[in-house]
């Protein structure tokens, strides 16, 4: 069964850091673009970041540029999202997704596989 499993979400104070993981299970991420989306209650879904598994194409939303870094570990079939200088606006459910043979950024509907998400809460 092809799955994406996220982990790393937590409750942290403003200014803190987290690293989210998106691990593929049952398939290889080769030739996929992997994205992180987030959605907070009452807010629209936002595409946060994206990377092609060969690392050639990346994307960051303006709201996270300079604070978040996306990376891949090909051996582990995992994509990471390092998040620094977190603030209350970053509070959301973060979900990763994979789109076959796409460049970044990918729209939500263009993805083929979705994880269930990991919760990030910034709380002072």
């Amino acid at each position: 069964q092809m799955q994406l499993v996220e982990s790393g979400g937590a409750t942290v104070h403003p200014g803190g850091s987290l690293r989210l993981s998106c691990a593929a299970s049952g398939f290889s991420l080769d030739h996929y673009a992997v994205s992180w989306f987030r959605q907070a209650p009452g807010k629209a879904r936002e595409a946060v970041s994206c990377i092609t598994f060969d690392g050639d194409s990346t994307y960051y939303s303006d709201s996270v540029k300079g604070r978040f870094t996306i990376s891949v570990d090909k051996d582990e079939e995992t994509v990471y999202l390092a998040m620094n200088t977190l603030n209350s606006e970053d509070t959301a459910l973060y979900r990763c997704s994979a789109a076959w043979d796409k460049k970044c950024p990918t729209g939500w509907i263009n993805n083929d596989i979705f994880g269930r998400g990991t919760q990030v809460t910034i709380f002072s």
Side-chain angles (χ1 to χ4, degrees):
Q1 185 177 3
M2 301 167 67
Q3 290 183 321
L4 291 172
V5 180
E6 302 96 333
S7 61
T11 298
V12 297
H13 292 304
S17 299
L18 286 172
R19 188 178 75 159
L20 305 184
S21 301
C22 172
S25 175
F27 72 106
S28 171
L29 285 173
D30 199 16
H31 299 298
Y32 281 89
V34 178
S35 299
W36 284 97
F37 292 86
R38 69 184 181 185
Q39 189 165 20
K43 294 188 178 181
R45 183 185 302 114
E46 178 186 11
V48 173
S49 186
C50 175
I51 189 167
T52 50
F53 210 58
D54 59 9
D56 281 352
S57 177
T58 59
Y59 164 81
Y60 296 96
S61 67
D62 287 342
S63 61
V64 307
K65 200 172 294 182
R67 299 187 299 123
F68 291 12
T69 303
I70 194 167
S71 62
V72 302
D73 184 325
K74 293 184 178 181
D75 291 335
E76 296 294 326
E77 297 281 357
T78 299
V79 171
Y80 297 99
L81 186 68
M83 309 187 297
N84 298 311
T85 321
L86 289 162
N87 59 64
S88 60
E89 295 296 307
D90 298 314
T91 295
L93 179 68
Y94 285 70
R95 297 180 67 182
C96 67
S97 62
W100 170 261
D101 198 29
K102 295 291 193 298
K103 295 294 185 185
C104 294
T106 63
W108 176 258
I109 62 172
N110 293 323
N111 284 270
D112 305 296
I113 306 166
F114 298 87
R116 293 190 174 185
T118 185
Q119 178 67 35
V120 172
T121 303
I122 313 306
F123 183 73
S124 58

